[in-house]
Amino acid sequence: MYTEVDVFVSNYTLIDPEIYQLWIEGCSSSEAVSTLHQRGAAKHLGTSVELIASDVLDHYRTFALLERLLTVPSKLTEQMIFQLDEQTKHMLIEKYYDLDDAVIRELLGRKLSSRHRKDLDEVAERSGAPLRCCRRQFDNVRRVFKAVEEMPGNVVANIRSTFLLSDPLAKKYGAVVFIACMRFETAKRKLQYLSFNDFYHCAQAIMGSWTYCCTGPEYYDTEMDREFLLELRELRILLDKEKEHKHLICMKLKPKLLEKSYQELELNFRLYTRALVGLACNLHRGRELRSLFIDLLEREADLKNVWERYMRVISQCLLTMYHI
Amino acid sequence: MPGKIKVKVLAGRNLPVMDRASDTTDAFVEIKFGGVTHKTDVCRKSLNPHWNNTEWYRFEVDESELQDEPLQLRLMDHDTYSANDAIGKVVISLAPLLAREANNPKSTTAPHGGAVLSGWIPVFDTMHGIRGELNVIVKVELFSDFNKYKTSSCGVQFFHCPMIPPGYRANSIHGFVEELVVNDDPEYQWIDKIRTPRASNEARQVAFIKLSNQVQRLVGLKAAELGANAVVGYQQDFDLEGEAGVVARAVGTAVSITPIPTPSYPNNIPPCTQQSERDRDRCDKDKGSPRHARHESYGGRDPPNPPAPAPAMQNPSLNATSTPMGIHRRSSDSDLSVTPKGGSLNTSAGNVGSGGGAILRPSMNSNNLDMLEYPFLTMTEFPPGFIVHIGGTVCARSVKLAEGGGEGAWAELRTELRAHARALRCNAVIAYSDSAAICEDVCVLSASGTAAVINLDCDYNVECEQTPAQSGPKGGAEADACSAAHVPYAPGSGPYRAELSLCAQCRRARVPSVLLATCAKPSTMPTHGKAVTLTAVAARVRRAPPTAEPGARDISDQLPFLEYELHKLLLAKLRMQGANALFSLCTRVAVGERCVVALASGAAYRLRALPPPAPPALKASESDRDATEIQRALRDAFNANKAANGYDVAGVSDMSGGGALAEAEGEEPPALDLCADKDACVLELDEAEDVETAKSLCVRRGHMRVYSRPPPARAPPLAFAQVWRARLTLSGQGGAASQAAERHVARALDGVTYKLRRLNPCALAIPKFQLELPEDEIQLVVSGTAIPLPEPGAAPRDLRDDDIFALDEEQLLRNGPAHDEDRNLVGQIPTTVSLTTLSDVSGSRAVRRICAIRLLFVRETTTVREMGGLSGFLHTFTCEVLAIARAHTAALGGNALTSFYLTQLMLQDNAHKNQGQCLLSVGGDVVQITY
């Protein structure tokens, strides 16, 4: 039966979450139909492919129309074309902006310019997600980045209010934006084993402790606290007073660590502190900062406050990166 | 006397970028009414412009112009050097404002009432669709007009609602009003060849809107002449006769109504005092003339007839002024006790006189084919006691060549219809509607309705309490209820040989074996089980060239066969469902270049009063083994359907004493019934296509449960439209064509059922069908409303027990939050706009019934492929139209659009040019509701 028009429209727009999920995942309409048909067959629902296809196409057309609005979520609440309840609107936005860890891991460290949009094949191949899905996430990240990059105030709050996202998702975008702003090196082969989640936790820690902590319109929390980084240089003194430092640390750690680890620490203490302090001293240089993660990987403390602030992050990062 | 329009444009939002260089727009608005145009300032470089310093733009115009002309706001982008670009338009018909203004003289004092349209309305462009929104305020001030020869009908309210609107009290029902206006279709004017598509579409849109307003004004005028203050059951249609022009037709029922004050909003209801006062004055003046005789006696009922319906019916007041009327009818039919023929004719006629005189205009002069001669009512739902007997569906069709107009043809059809009704010994035709199907220059005009004996003296307002089973003592109600099913004619004296049996309820009167009616099922009529939707399709291939005289003659020759086939199939299907009555029957005839198709749809019921349908039987030779098989399959399907529909009642109450009933439901002879010719519904397997039909009857499909009066809902109703268009393959002769068409209809319905599964459990308000045969395709529009039902546990399953529609976990989860929402809903004023094809939103209370609106749009695109094909184009357009309808509803102060309809969907495409064009009209009654 050759059909030219088969359209179902209702006053309240019905959105099937299952079909929406398939669309989000980048399935073409025919892929979605066959997936749904298989699922239906598994549940012994004898719905004909034809009906499923008709339903899926209705949804896909609606999604295509909605997509323009979803790029500016505030428009979705204002628009009059689709009558949707608040829950559904929220669900639509949240899912549209959802980040696939595998995809976003690949996108980290890439330039977010439209020229790079066509290079997403590689991302698709590596993450195993369909190209369409990668494109959507790339565009979302790019859009969010562009929107909040220059916006003063708390980046997560900005994302939340501009894109009407939930807190966890806004935090994710916050981390992505932060990593992109800092231009952290994340794509090196050595770092390949790290998941997005690892970077997310590291970025959270850095954002929590190393950026300007006062809030106000003139502060950007996507910027490092420069004064702090400069202060870090003073940590060099720890190397000079290595004996005392070692003694203090060992005193403190002895009851907590296993004998074996403690021995190891005692033996290599010099090595460890040199690495950490050396890194700290150089962080004020942009290049060093960017390769923070690599440095941490390749090498592995008055300054009491500064040291603690530094170590809070570094320990977090190390813990995360080494999956302890 | 003139009226004054005041317009203010406050702001715009989400405008498109018109200036690529700066990514902004320099917007201004041209406000046009008639020949006068005002302009706002240019708001530079903004996609969300504000025209802060705006004053009111005023237009002073004549009253009838006020009703005909739409107010047009054109949003423009200012260009310094080149011509200004059009962004889009907002077209506002003022008729809704006028009716309210006239009914509410103190509008200035009441901030809520009054004739104001205020809010965000989408800006629509015929080439690009919705492009942002405008925030506008429109007010109308009308000076009262006592001119006797006025041409406007500002005081008359219009409702599409096919009954006395809930929340109103009917003072009297005046009768049938109709009007027909012909104009040129701009699409066929020479100028169309040289103007841009946009200009052409806009001209067409405005021309249609004007025509629509004009016909409404004229209907209103006729209603006002009858002394009515409102028109209910208003239906309007366009017949596009191509070169011959476009015909706007409207029918309605003139009534006098007053709103029942609701306690919480006592001041908000626009009181119709002025108008009705005037009516009364006039009535008083005219007293003595039969037209305005009031308070006739009702005396015709024989004492043995137990149904002593509403007390109002026994109003014994013999009024002095009542003498003459209605007598011209030949009455004096010898009759059973049941039908108070002559008497009731007299009385009801007399009572119509209370204002209208539709029935009893004393001069039955055939030259004076005034519409008032037609005892027709366009309403489909009536208060209990109004319908005394239902005679059956009456229908008249004629074929003519389009020459623009056709008043004469319509008058003939209506006269014929009236004659049919008379032949059935009925005094009125209720649920009247008419339609036209056009192909090239051949038109098929159809008028149909239900012949009935009505009692205009009943208490119209019983139902105002809105409880379905309220009419007095139970026994009385029931007796009254079954009386509607009784035939109004004597067994022998019917116009044709009909099979009659004793009423299964009262055992006193005769009932037909099957009842077909275009009206909704009277709410008091007792039934078994549930109602299901039913459709039947018949098609015939045209044999002559499609145009001109031969084409028309061919169709004329084929129509009777088409009708016969349709009827046969409909009855067979009805029986297969185990039902014995079909209400809300709607028959659509469509004429294509190669075939004629008729589609009948309705809601099947199993009435208690009528005999249960016999199992289907086949007539074939005994040796035919195929037939035995089919017979078995038919029986199985019949029983399964009956069980699924809840018609499988223990036959005790039905059978006992039902001596006339030969076949009992219980007995099941699986063998062929060879002498079954006594039964009209038996299928004869003497042709190959009959075998096909029989086989297709065996297939059970998921009939959705339908309601004419739905139970309280769990969530707001969901109006929907399913458009289906596909190639109609006409391989063989009629039979094959019928089956092909049938498959398409079934498929479209399956689609609806499948797509509505998400609302499970839900019920369906009786869906409406529109059928077109463009080129060699079939186009179907199914529009209806789904009502989410309260609880899956308690309520019976709406869909056939079929695994397809079983709720799975996910849907149960989805139902959860919806239910929470429902709890909050109670007692609240909904913020969204609900659309429903029913006359009220179940579970809610209508605070105000504001006005009727009707919107018409023309949309064109040259990027069909980019929009996702024709489906994508239509999908976008339909969504936009619904959005604009919602915006108008909200701007007029409503939050629901009841009696919603969607018509005139005309889709044309030119695949080579990647171009598509579509016309669509929607409308309904704007209502403010609370839960």
Side-chain angles (χ1 to χ4, degrees):
Chain A
M1 190 155 18
Y2 169 71
T3 4
E4 194 158 11
V5 180
D6 181 9
V7 173
F8 178 89
V9 175
S10 52
N11 180 30
Y12 296 94
T13 308
L14 298 174
I15 305 278
D16 188 317
E18 195 181 8
I19 301 178
Y20 189 56
Q21 186 60 45
L22 289 169
W23 182 74
I24 288 292
E25 285 166 13
C27 293
S28 68
S29 54
S30 50
E31 283 164 1
V33 171
S34 62
T35 310
L36 286 172
H37 190 240
Q38 277 160 19
R39 285 182 200 169
K43 287 184 209 153
H44 304 290
L45 313 174
T47 319
S48 75
V49 182
E50 212 188 333
L51 284 180
I52 298 175
S54 149
D55 194 30
V56 166
L57 287 174
D58 273 330
H59 274 87
Y60 269 52
R61 280 192 299 266
T62 305
F63 298 152
L65 293 171
L66 278 171
E67 190 162 17
R68 276 179 299 172
L69 300 165
L70 282 167
T71 57
V72 193
S74 59
K75 267 198 182 165
L76 187 71
T77 52
E78 228 176 46
Q79 58 86 29
M80 303 171 97
I81 298 180
F82 300 99
Q83 192 159 249
L84 298 160
D85 58 42
E86 290 306 314
Q87 280 171 331
T88 313
K89 276 182 199 164
H90 193 251
M91 185 275 283
L92 287 173
I93 297 171
E94 196 72 7
K95 279 199 174 171
Y96 187 75
Y97 280 89
D98 202 14
L99 292 174
D100 211 335
D101 284 358
V103 176
I104 203 66
R105 175 66 190 86
E106 293 300 321
L107 289 178
L108 280 184
R110 277 172 189 269
K111 283 229 171 66
L112 295 170
S113 72
S114 51
R115 272 185 293 117
H116 294 266
R117 196 172 184 268
K118 59 183 183 299
D119 304 336
L120 290 173
D121 305 0
E122 195 190 336
V123 175
E125 200 178 299
R126 284 195 184 178
S127 61
L131 182 59
R132 223 182 302 225
C133 182
C134 299
R135 286 234 172 96
R136 191 195 89 240
Q137 298 188 38
F138 178 83
D139 291 342
N140 284 344
V141 168
R142 196 162 87 95
R143 202 177 311 115
V144 172
F145 177 74
K146 278 192 149 183
V148 299
E149 186 186 20
E150 304 284 299
M151 214 183 266
N154 181 278
V155 65
V156 174
N158 286 340
I159 293 173
R160 212 170 37 210
S161 62
T162 316
F163 290 92
L164 309 173
L165 298 179
S166 69
D167 205 41
L169 192 54
K171 274 189 177 151
K172 270 191 179 183
Y173 273 99
V176 173
V177 168
F178 182 69
I179 291 171
C181 280
M182 291 292 107
R183 289 189 277 159
F184 279 124
E185 184 60 70
T186 55
K188 282 272 153 58
R189 179 175 290 273
K190 279 179 195 151
L191 291 172
Q192 274 309 311
Y193 75 99
L194 288 175
S195 72
F196 169 69
N197 208 27
D198 300 333
F199 281 110
Y200 170 72
H201 284 296
C202 297
Q204 282 292 318
I206 298 175
M207 287 167 81
S209 297
W210 287 1
T211 55
Y212 289 107
C213 42
C214 11
T215 49
E218 68 274 25
Y219 291 98
Y220 294 79
D221 68 352
T222 48
E223 257 176 32
M224 286 293 199
D225 186 343
R226 289 234 62 91
E227 289 74 32
F228 161 69
L229 291 183
L230 289 172
E231 267 179 289
L232 273 179
R233 278 188 300 187
E234 310 297 317
L235 287 175
R236 204 174 293 278
I237 201 168
L238 284 176
L239 294 181
D240 301 342
K241 303 196 172 177
E242 201 188 314
K243 278 262 168 65
E244 292 89 329
H245 186 219
K246 180 176 179 183
H247 179 70
L248 280 171
I249 301 264
C250 290
M251 288 281 282
K252 214 166 187 180
L253 288 180
K254 193 161 185 187
K256 292 184 188 165
L257 289 178
L258 290 174
E259 191 59 28
K260 204 178 159 195
S261 330
Y262 178 69
Q263 298 239 318
E264 203 252 336
L265 175 76
E266 207 173 16
L267 279 176
N268 297 321
F269 186 80
R270 188 188 169 81
L271 212 63
Y272 290 157
T273 40
R274 271 185 186 278
L276 289 174
V277 173
L279 187 59
C281 295
N282 290 325
L283 274 182
H284 63 97
R285 293 189 204 126
R287 203 166 53 81
E288 299 290 323
L289 182 62
R290 265 171 240 158
S291 54
L292 170 68
F293 295 112
I294 296 187
D295 291 346
L296 281 176
L297 185 75
E298 283 179 345
R299 293 173 255 158
E300 30 197 311
D302 150 50
L303 302 201
K304 190 167 168 281
N305 281 334
V306 176
W307 176 247
E308 274 179 2
R309 191 171 164 192
Y310 173 67
M311 281 313 287
R312 220 172 15 240
V313 170
I314 293 297
S315 55
Q316 268 268 5
C317 291
L318 287 172
L319 283 173
T320 315
M321 289 169 71
Y322 288 94
H323 296 268
I324 300 164
Chain B
M1 279 287 277
K4 199 187 278 173
I5 311 168
K6 299 203 288 182
V7 184
K8 196 181 256 186
V9 182
L10 300 173
R13 67 179 183 195
N14 299 326
L15 303 192
V17 170
M18 297 302 284
D19 182 1
R20 285 264 152 240
S22 60
D23 268 5
T24 56
T25 294
D26 303 324
F28 70 99
V29 181
E30 278 180 12
I31 303 142
K32 186 181 167 199
F33 188 87
V36 186
T37 306
H38 294 291
K39 270 186 202 173
T40 67
D41 302 334
V42 176
C43 183
R44 296 215 172 265
K45 299 205 183 303
S46 173
L47 297 181
N48 297 291
H50 285 266
W51 292 277
N52 281 327
N53 54 345
T54 48
E55 71 279 31
W56 289 100
Y57 297 102
R58 287 161 208 273
F59 300 89
E60 286 173 3
V61 284
D62 186 59
E63 214 177 300
S64 56
E65 197 185 0
L66 212 53
Q67 285 186 305
D68 287 1
E69 284 284 334
L71 177 71
Q72 303 179 51
L73 293 96
R74 185 193 295 274
L75 183 62
M76 306 282 284
D77 173 51
H78 176 78
D79 285 327
T80 315
Y81 301 112
S82 56
N84 297 335
D85 296 321
I87 300 173
K89 273 171 94 172
V90 171
V91 182
I92 300 167
S93 289
L94 300 174
L97 296 175
L98 297 171
R100 294 162 66 199
E101 168 70 17
N103 281 317
N104 192 2
K106 288 170 286 187
S107 64
T108 42
T109 57
H112 299 290
V116 183
L117 179 143
S118 161
W120 289 99
I121 312 265
V123 176
F124 179 80
D125 178 56
T126 56
M127 301 304 290
H128 294 100
I130 289 182
R131 299 173 106 187
E133 290 107 38
L134 273 186
N135 193 357
V136 293
I137 304 177
V138 182
K139 287 186 183 177
V140 176
E141 280 171 15
L142 205 62
F143 308 113
S144 19
D145 180 9
F146 295 106
N147 183 355
K148 228 184 147 186
Y149 303 102
K150 64 176 186 172
T151 51
S152 77
S153 56
C154 286
V156 179
Q157 283 185 293
F158 279 82
F159 295 117
H160 294 104
C161 172
M163 57 199 275
I164 299 296
Y168 281 85
R169 173 178 294 125
N171 301 329
S172 56
I173 296 176
H174 299 274
F176 183 64
V177 279
E178 58 82 36
E179 192 53 74
L180 183 147
V181 179
V182 192
N183 209 336
D184 284 339
D185 189 343
E187 190 85 347
Y188 294 89
Q189 286 166 347
W190 67 268
I191 192 168
D192 206 60
K193 294 192 172 40
I194 55 164
R195 58 186 166 191
T196 63
R198 176 181 283 119
S200 160
N201 292 335
E202 285 177 359
R204 198 172 190 213
Q205 187 175 338
V206 169
F208 276 45
I209 290 172
K210 270 189 204 170
L211 204 56
S212 162
N213 290 344
Q214 197 185 348
V215 77
Q216 182 171 333
R217 170 172 63 86
L218 293 172
V219 167
L221 204 58
K222 282 188 176 171
E225 275 168 13
L226 292 175
N229 69 350
V231 174
V232 297
Y234 183 64
Q235 298 162 14
Q236 193 187 306
D237 246 325
F238 286 114
D239 303 334
L240 301 167
E241 298 187 345
E243 304 269 341
V246 51
V247 181
R249 277 183 294 117
V251 294
T253 307
V255 294
S256 288
I257 52 174
T258 43
I260 302 162
T262 45
S264 58
Y265 287 78
N267 299 323
N268 272 349
I269 297 120
C272 309
T273 45
Q274 202 182 34
Q275 183 65 35
S276 50
E277 213 96 72
R278 227 193 293 163
D279 294 344
R280 223 164 292 146
D281 289 348
R282 244 210 264 178
C283 285
D284 287 343
K285 253 182 274 162
D286 290 350
K287 225 165 198 171
S289 100
R291 277 187 57 187
H292 295 279
R294 294 151 144 262
H295 304 300
E296 305 323 316
S297 67
Y298 179 88
R301 275 204 177 262
D302 280 348
N305 195 12
M313 290 184 71
Q314 293 144 333
N315 175 7
S317 76
L318 269 166
N319 195 308
T321 55
S322 74
T323 23
M325 66 281 337
I327 305 155
H328 310 280
R329 308 269 163 89
R330 64 212 143 38
S331 40
S332 71
D333 305 291
S334 64
D335 200 356
L336 303 186
S337 56
V338 216
T339 35
K341 210 73 40 62
S344 92
L345 263 176
N346 254 326
T347 44
S348 51
N351 287 302
V352 181
S354 59
I359 295 178
L360 54 125
R361 191 153 261 222
S363 61
M364 296 292 262
N365 180 353
S366 62
N367 294 331
N368 179 19
L369 276 174
D370 201 331
M371 78 292 304
L372 294 183
E373 295 220 359
Y374 307 121
F376 296 168
L377 296 173
T378 56
M379 296 188 281
T380 64
E381 287 174 56
F382 298 93
F386 187 89
I387 301 175
V388 182
H389 303 299
I390 294 177
T393 300
V394 286
C395 177
R397 295 186 207 284
S398 80
V399 183
K400 69 161 188 129
L401 289 176
E403 79 294 329
E407 277 122 305
W410 286 111
E412 278 167 28
L413 275 187
R414 287 174 187 145
T415 313
E416 187 184 337
L417 209 60
R418 185 187 56 191
H420 287 325
R422 294 259 178 82
L424 287 169
R425 307 284 188 275
C426 291
N427 63 358
V429 173
I430 57 173
Y432 171 83
S433 69
D434 45 33
S435 63
I438 299 165
C439 175
E440 301 286 335
D441 58 349
V442 180
C443 311
V444 177
L445 311 181
S446 319
S448 64
T450 302
V453 178
I454 57 168
N455 167 32
L456 281 155
D457 202 15
C458 82
D459 186 359
Y460 299 136
N461 307 311
V462 186
E463 211 154 12
C464 296
E465 290 99 68
Q466 293 209 340
T467 42
Q470 78 287 52
S471 61
K474 212 179 168 223
E478 200 159 300
D480 182 30
C482 85
S483 125
H486 300 167
V487 291
Y489 42 85
S493 73
Y496 47 82
R497 201 184 62 85
E499 229 169 272
L500 299 178
S501 45
L502 271 181
C503 172
Q505 268 183 298
C506 68
R507 316 231 161 274
R508 284 190 188 85
R510 300 273 165 185
V511 290
S513 56
V514 174
L515 185 63
L516 302 181
T518 54
C519 60
K521 185 185 78 72
S523 53
T524 48
M525 238 179 177
T527 57
H528 289 299
K530 58 194 186 186
V532 291
T533 52
L534 203 71
T535 55
V537 188
R540 287 189 75 83
V541 177
R542 295 176 68 173
R543 290 176 297 228
T547 56
E549 200 91 353
R553 182 157 307 122
D554 172 46
I555 288 191
S556 182
D557 291 343
Q558 299 227 30
L559 268 182
F561 295 96
L562 187 72
E563 291 227 46
Y564 173 73
E565 274 165 27
L566 184 71
H567 187 71
K568 193 173 79 171
L569 190 61
L570 196 63
L571 287 184
K573 282 200 166 185
L574 195 63
R575 161 172 303 213
M576 285 307 292
Q577 285 297 323
N580 54 15
L582 190 69
F583 285 97
S584 305
L585 170 68
C586 176
T587 310
R588 300 267 168 189
V589 175
V591 186
E593 277 168 22
R594 290 163 57 209
C595 61
V596 200
V597 179
L599 165 69
S601 65
Y605 292 87
R606 164 86 165 78
L607 289 185
R608 278 173 199 268
L610 266 52
L618 287 184
K619 190 178 175 188
S621 60
E622 214 161 343
S623 56
D624 197 344
R625 293 190 55 195
D626 230 16
T628 328
E629 273 301 91
I630 293 172
Q631 169 80 340
R632 191 170 297 123
L634 278 177
R635 257 172 213 277
D636 291 348
F638 173 71
N639 289 323
N641 280 335
K642 219 164 53 168
N645 296 342
Y647 300 156
D648 218 358
V649 281
V652 189
S653 62
D654 292 306
M655 293 308 131
S656 60
L661 311 173
E663 292 121 323
E665 248 180 298
E667 59 189 62
E668 275 197 44
L672 283 175
D673 192 356
L674 292 173
C675 51
D677 49 354
K678 63 183 173 196
D679 199 313
C681 259
V682 169
L683 297 163
E684 277 188 60
L685 289 185
D686 49 4
E687 279 175 59
E689 60 196 50
D690 287 338
V691 178
E692 282 302 310
T693 313
K695 276 186 183 153
S696 67
L697 283 175
C698 303
V699 181
R700 297 180 58 224
R701 33 180 79 258
H703 289 277
M704 276 195 115
R705 182 172 188 183
V706 294
Y707 282 95
S708 51
R709 294 215 144 258
R714 154 167 64 88
L718 180 88
F720 63 84
Q722 161 86 53
V723 184
W724 170 265
R725 180 161 166 168
R727 190 168 298 275
L728 183 61
T729 40
L730 300 167
S731 46
Q733 275 298 302
S738 292
Q739 263 138 35
E742 177 92 46
R743 268 198 303 279
H744 287 293
V745 174
R747 170 58 187 75
L749 274 177
D750 282 349
V752 169
T753 319
Y754 182 68
K755 285 158 196 174
L756 286 174
R757 76 192 185 283
R758 295 185 185 88
L759 289 180
N760 250 342
C762 72
L764 202 61
I766 301 159
K768 289 181 188 124
F769 293 83
Q770 283 160 57
L771 183 66
E772 303 268 344
L773 297 168
E775 283 150 37
D776 52 354
E777 294 176 333
I778 178 168
Q779 177 186 304
L780 260 171
V781 183
V782 185
S783 55
T785 307
I787 300 124
L789 290 178
E791 254 311 293
R797 289 272 291 282
D798 49 306
L799 298 160
R800 177 169 60 109
D801 294 334
D802 194 321
D803 286 336
I804 304 173
F805 306 109
L807 283 173
D808 57 33
E809 308 278 310
E810 211 168 352
Q811 281 162 330
L812 279 175
L813 282 177
R814 262 174 62 82
N815 281 349
H819 214 70
D820 287 341
E821 205 179 296
D822 167 44
R823 231 172 286 135
N824 304 335
L825 221 86
V826 173
Q828 268 190 1
I829 300 171
T831 48
T832 55
V833 176
S834 305
L835 303 187
T836 172
T837 52
L838 296 169
S839 53
D840 54 0
V841 177
S842 59
S844 77
R845 198 166 54 84
V847 180
R848 284 199 300 155
R849 194 163 277 270
I850 297 165
C851 55
I853 57 166
R854 178 182 179 89
L855 305 167
L856 190 139
F857 300 93
V858 177
R859 176 85 151 85
E860 187 173 340
T861 184
T862 49
T863 55
V864 172
R865 242 168 277 133
E866 292 80 349
M867 291 178 89
L870 268 189
S871 289
F873 172 52
L874 191 65
H875 193 122
T876 312
F877 181 43
T878 317
C879 286
E880 286 170 347
V881 167
L882 291 187
I884 298 173
R886 285 193 297 263
H888 275 266
T889 305
L892 286 164
N895 52 15
L897 195 62
T898 58
S899 307
F900 172 75
Y901 62 88
L902 185 145
T903 58
Q904 250 84 48
L905 193 136
M906 315 247 189
L907 182 63
Q908 290 164 337
D909 72 310
N910 189 335
H912 302 298
K913 287 190 192 158
N914 201 18
Q915 180 250 10
Q917 197 191 23
C918 192
L919 184 76
L920 183 63
S921 176
V922 295
D925 296 345
V926 177
V927 181
Q928 188 190 350
I929 55 167
T930 55
Y931 282 101

